[in-house]
Amino acid sequence: MLIKTFGSAVQGVNAYTVTVEVSVSAGAKYFLVGLPDNAIKEGEQRIESALAQYGYKLKRQKTIINMAPADIRKEGAAYDLTIAMGMLAAGGQMDAGKLPQYMIMGELSLDGSLRPIKGVLPIAIQARKEGFKGIILPASNAREAAIVNNLDVIGVENIKEAIDFLNDELAIQPVKIDTRDVFQNTANQYAADFSDVQGQENIKRALEIAAAGGHNVIMIGPPGAGKTMLAKRLPSILPPLSMHEALETTKIHSVAGKLGEISSLLATRPYRSPHHTISDVALVGGGGIPQPGEISLAHNGVLFLDELPEFKRTALEVMRQPLEERRVTISRAKTTLDFPANFMLIASMNPCPCGFYNHPEKECVCAPGLVQRYLNKVSGPLLDRIDLHVEVTPVTFDEMTATRKAENSETIRERVVRARELQRERFKEFDDIHSNAMMPSQMVKEICQISDAGRTLLKTAMERLGLSARAYDRILKVSRTIADLADSEEIKIEHLAEAIQYRSLDRDGWAG
C-alpha cells in the first residue's frame, strides 16, 4: 500500500513542499531515503515510542519511506509527525482520507507530545500557495501560522490529537487571528521613548535626520555620554511598519526560531545589538544549515554596534556589501540563498582607548599615535558607508536636572513620517528605492540639485576635509533629507552646511 503525506522544508526565508511517500509490503526491513539527515533518521525511535504511549504499534513489515524531491537534503526533526501519519495510514491503523488536504509538521517527544518547530510562517505561506486546506502542527506554533489567512491552522498538543482529528473522531477548531487588529494594537509600542533623554538636542536632531532618510549613523563620544541610550530609542521614531514589512520581518524571525509561543506578527521595528565578540557567520548569516544572521534579524529595523573598533575587522568588512545591496547572499556548492538585510546601521565608539580624547573636562591619557591607531581599526570604506558622523558630548548637570519635558518619540515620528511620504512620492516609479539613503549615484545627480553657492561650499569642504566620491554622495543625500524635513523642494545652502558638519571623522582634527 502506498500513502503520501506532505511536509515542508525551509531554504533561506522561503519554503518548498516535501512529499513523504510511504510504501508497505511483505518483509521486515525499514528504509528511509531521499537525503534525510541524522535527525530525521533517528525519528524512527521517537515515532515508535510516541505511538506506544497511546497503544499503537508499528507493524513489522517492509517499509520504504521516500522524501521527495529526493535530490535535495532534508534537515531537522520537524518531519516526525509527517512520517508517523504516513506509516500509520500505510499500516491501516488510521484513515488516510484527509491526509492530502493537510500539510503536517511537528517534532515528537518520546511521550507523544509535540515540540515547537522553526520556520512556521514561510511553511504556512507555502501551504496556502499550494492549495492545501490547512496545516497540522504543534499548538505552540499555531498563532504564528494563523497570520496566514484562508488556511485552517490545526494546533495539536500530541500525536493522539492529530490521529483523532484525521480520523474524524475529534473536532479541533482552526486557530484564527485578526491580523489587522493585532497589528494596530501593538504597532509603535516601544518600551523606550525620546522623552526620557535630557539634553543632547544635537544628537536627537541627527537621529531624526537618519530616521527620515534611512541613513546610517556613527556616534563618537566618551563613556556615559548617552550613546547606547539614544540608539535604543531610534526604532521608536521610525515610521510604523507596513503590513508587508511586518510579514517579511516576522518570516525572518520565524526561520531563526526567535518568535515566542504567544507571538504572531511582529508589529514593531526590530532592534538588534550583538556583542563585539560575535563571529562573522553569526553577524551576516550562514552555517552548515544557512540561517539568517544579526543583519537579517535587523531587517526593516536597527542594527546597533556598540564599541565599533572592538569588533573583529573581518566581521565588519563582510558587512560592506550588505550595506550597499541591502541583502546578503550565502553561496553553497548546490544552492545560493538570499537573506534580506535592509537595516539602519547605528554604531558607537569611544574617541580613543581611554575614552576621553576631545573631552571638554577630562584629559586623555593615551600615548601619542594611539588615538589614530584606535580609529584605524574601523576601515575607511566602512566609514564611507556611514552617512552621519556625530560627536556626543556629556550632558551637563543643569541639562540633567532640567524640569523642561523633552520632546517625545511620537512628535518626532510625525515629522519623520511626513518626510518619508515625500520620498515615497519621489520614488514611486522605483520598486527597490523607498528612501533617500537608497538612491544610487546616478539618481543623486538628478534629484539632489544644488545652487552655485552650494556647489562652492561643497567644493571647499571636499578639498579641506579630503572627502571621497562616496562621501560626496552621502552629503547630498543627507542634505536632501534635511530639505524634506523642512518641507523644502530645493536643497538650500543651510541644508548643505548642516549635512557637511555630519562628517566629523573626515576632519584632520581627529587624526591627533
Side-chain angles (χ1 to χ4, degrees):
M1 189 174 180
L2 177 66
I3 292 290
K4 290 184 182 179
T5 57
F6 300 93
S8 189
V10 177
Q11 272 198 341
V13 290
N14 297 310
Y16 64 90
T17 302
V18 172
T19 305
V20 176
E21 302 167 331
V22 184
S23 172
V24 173
S25 57
K29 284 201 171 183
Y30 173 88
F31 299 96
L32 180 58
V33 296
L35 289 183
D37 71 350
N38 282 337
I40 301 172
K41 289 174 185 172
E42 291 163 356
E44 185 190 359
Q45 280 71 40
R46 289 192 295 272
I47 292 167
E48 200 160 357
S49 172
L51 289 173
Q53 301 296 318
Y54 298 100
Y56 292 93
K57 194 172 181 184
L58 294 176
K59 295 179 181 176
R60 291 298 166 208
Q61 296 169 295
K62 182 182 177 184
T63 306
I64 301 171
I65 299 167
N66 177 43
M67 303 182 78
D71 59 338
I72 298 174
R73 188 157 183 80
K74 323 298 180 306
E75 289 151 336
Y79 300 100
D80 288 355
L81 194 60
T82 326
I83 294 169
M85 296 298 102
M87 291 172 78
L88 282 175
Q93 296 186 69
M94 66 172 274
D95 183 15
K98 288 168 78 173
L99 285 178
Q101 300 173 27
Y102 291 90
M103 191 173 271
I104 304 168
M105 294 294 285
E107 179 187 341
L108 284 169
S109 296
L110 294 184
D111 63 359
S113 60
L114 286 165
R115 296 177 181 276
I117 60 173
K118 288 182 185 180
V120 165
L121 183 54
I123 289 169
I125 291 168
Q126 180 66 11
R128 185 182 65 181
K129 189 176 165 188
E130 296 264 343
F132 286 95
K133 182 185 177 186
I135 179 169
I136 299 171
L137 76 177
S140 50
N141 290 122
R143 281 181 60 82
E144 187 184 330
I147 295 170
V148 181
N149 54 15
N150 302 323
L151 186 75
D152 287 354
V153 177
I154 309 298
V156 291
E157 296 284 353
N158 54 58
I159 193 169
K160 183 73 168 79
E161 286 185 12
I163 296 165
D164 289 349
F165 173 77
L166 290 166
N167 280 338
D168 280 331
E169 293 170 7
L170 175 67
I172 299 176
Q173 287 303 311
V175 177
K176 298 283 183 196
I177 284 181
D178 186 341
T179 315
R180 300 267 166 201
D181 188 47
V182 170
F183 188 63
Q184 283 162 5
N185 286 342
T186 54
N188 298 325
Q189 287 186 1
Y190 295 95
D193 193 277
F194 266 93
S195 60
D196 308 329
V197 184
Q198 293 288 6
Q200 303 291 26
E201 298 306 323
N202 60 326
I203 318 301
K204 289 181 191 171
R205 168 68 177 168
L207 292 181
E208 183 182 332
I209 294 165
H215 302 290
N216 301 321
V217 184
I218 184 166
M219 295 184 282
I220 314 107
K227 303 186 292 293
T228 306
M229 185 183 185
L230 286 155
K232 207 170 275 184
R233 282 154 179 75
L234 182 64
S236 68
I237 63 168
L238 289 171
L241 283 170
S242 67
M243 184 60 84
H244 173 72
E245 286 176 328
L247 278 168
E248 203 175 35
T249 308
T250 308
K251 213 194 229 188
I252 297 165
H253 284 250
S254 171
V255 170
K258 302 287 184 189
L259 291 177
E261 285 187 26
I262 57 165
S263 298
S264 52
L265 190 68
L266 288 178
T268 53
R269 293 194 178 267
Y271 172 83
R272 305 294 298 181
S273 178
H275 192 259
H276 61 76
T277 54
I278 192 169
S279 68
D280 307 5
V281 170
L283 186 63
V284 297
I289 304 170
Q291 288 285 300
E294 288 290 336
I295 63 171
S296 293
L297 292 168
H299 180 61
N300 290 324
V302 173
L303 178 72
F304 177 52
L305 301 184
D306 200 4
E307 303 301 339
L308 189 68
E310 303 301 331
F311 281 78
K312 283 191 299 184
R313 189 156 182 140
T314 52
L316 295 178
E317 293 308 297
V318 291
M319 270 185 23
R320 278 161 52 177
Q321 187 185 7
L323 277 169
E324 289 289 318
E325 297 184 0
R326 301 187 183 272
R327 71 175 189 277
V328 59
T329 304
I330 295 164
S331 298
R332 293 288 177 269
K334 289 189 177 180
T335 184
T336 300
L337 300 174
D338 274 352
F339 286 112
N342 181 17
F343 59 92
M344 269 182 70
L345 174 65
I346 307 297
S348 78
M349 60 184 281
N350 293 330
C352 66
C354 80
F356 298 111
Y357 180 72
N358 272 359
H359 193 282
E361 293 161 13
K362 296 185 182 178
E363 200 168 323
C364 174
V365 295
C366 297
L370 205 59
V371 176
Q372 185 60 58
R373 266 206 309 281
Y374 185 72
L375 290 175
N376 285 347
K377 285 185 177 181
V378 183
S379 71
L382 182 66
L383 280 177
D384 260 355
R385 286 166 169 80
I386 297 175
D387 306 351
L388 292 97
H389 306 164
V390 189
E391 289 179 62
V392 184
T393 50
V395 181
T396 63
F397 180 79
D398 290 343
E399 284 176 323
M400 222 182 310
T401 54
T403 52
R404 184 174 63 88
K405 190 73 176 164
E407 202 172 29
N408 65 17
S409 291
E410 193 176 346
T411 311
I412 302 170
R413 187 168 60 240
E414 284 169 9
R415 295 198 293 267
V416 168
V417 168
R418 275 201 302 276
R420 285 283 183 118
E421 280 167 1
L422 290 173
Q423 291 163 53
R424 196 175 296 117
E425 184 61 30
R426 182 179 299 138
F427 304 122
K428 63 184 177 186
E429 294 173 16
F430 305 93
D431 293 336
D432 54 345
I433 301 172
H434 311 293
S435 64
N436 290 333
M438 292 179 167
M439 278 191 282
S441 294
Q442 60 271 28
M443 198 181 281
V444 172
K445 291 186 179 71
E446 183 188 325
I447 287 173
C448 303
Q449 300 280 346
I450 52 175
S451 64
D452 290 340
R455 203 170 285 110
T456 306
L457 173 68
L458 192 51
K459 184 185 176 194
T460 309
M462 292 279 293
E463 287 170 354
R464 226 169 250 177
L465 300 174
L467 303 179
S468 68
R470 190 182 272 114
Y472 169 80
D473 276 356
R474 303 277 169 194
I475 289 169
L476 288 178
K477 287 179 188 179
V478 171
S479 60
R480 179 64 265 169
T481 302
I482 295 168
D484 288 342
L485 279 167
D487 208 8
S488 167
E489 281 190 26
E490 58 186 60
I491 299 172
K492 296 179 179 171
I493 197 159
E494 60 265 29
H495 303 148
L496 204 55
E498 188 177 356
I500 291 167
Q501 75 165 1
Y502 294 125
R503 300 300 299 182
S504 304
L505 288 178
D506 295 319
R507 288 209 313 264
D508 292 338
W510 275 101

